[in-house]
Amino acid sequence: DPAAVVGRDDAAVFDPESAARIARWDRETAAAGRPVTYEETLTAGGVTRTYQVTKAPYRDAADRVAGLVGISR
């Protein structure tokens, strides 16, 4: 249900171990400065699923990494 995830951060959606892995991948993606695609197995609401994830740095007007954009399938 989209209402269960919209406006919530990873720690509020995923179990602590999964949220920590997501944060690690986010840091690594930002540091790489380029898009990355990977497969990740995460648990949310007691259900474990495997996702194909693509994330890329979002840059500000000064070309600094200001955040990430991504999609999971």
Side-chain angles (χ1 to χ4, degrees):
D1 180 16
V5 296
V6 173
R8 300 176 73 199
D9 67 14
D10 294 331
V13 176
F14 295 97
D15 73 339
E17 183 179 322
S18 294
R21 282 198 312 271
I22 293 167
R24 180 180 53 84
W25 273 108
D26 287 353
R27 286 189 303 272
E28 290 179 12
T29 300
R34 60 177 175 71
V36 297
T37 298
Y38 57 93
E39 188 174 276
E40 183 72 272
T41 301
L42 305 168
T43 302
V47 178
T48 300
R49 292 187 173 104
T50 300
Y51 300 89
Q52 181 184 32
V53 180
T54 300
K55 292 184 179 179
Y58 176 80
R59 298 181 179 278
D60 64 14
D63 203 35
R64 294 179 299 237
V65 175
L68 298 175
V69 294
I71 188 165
S72 297
R73 296 186 283 165

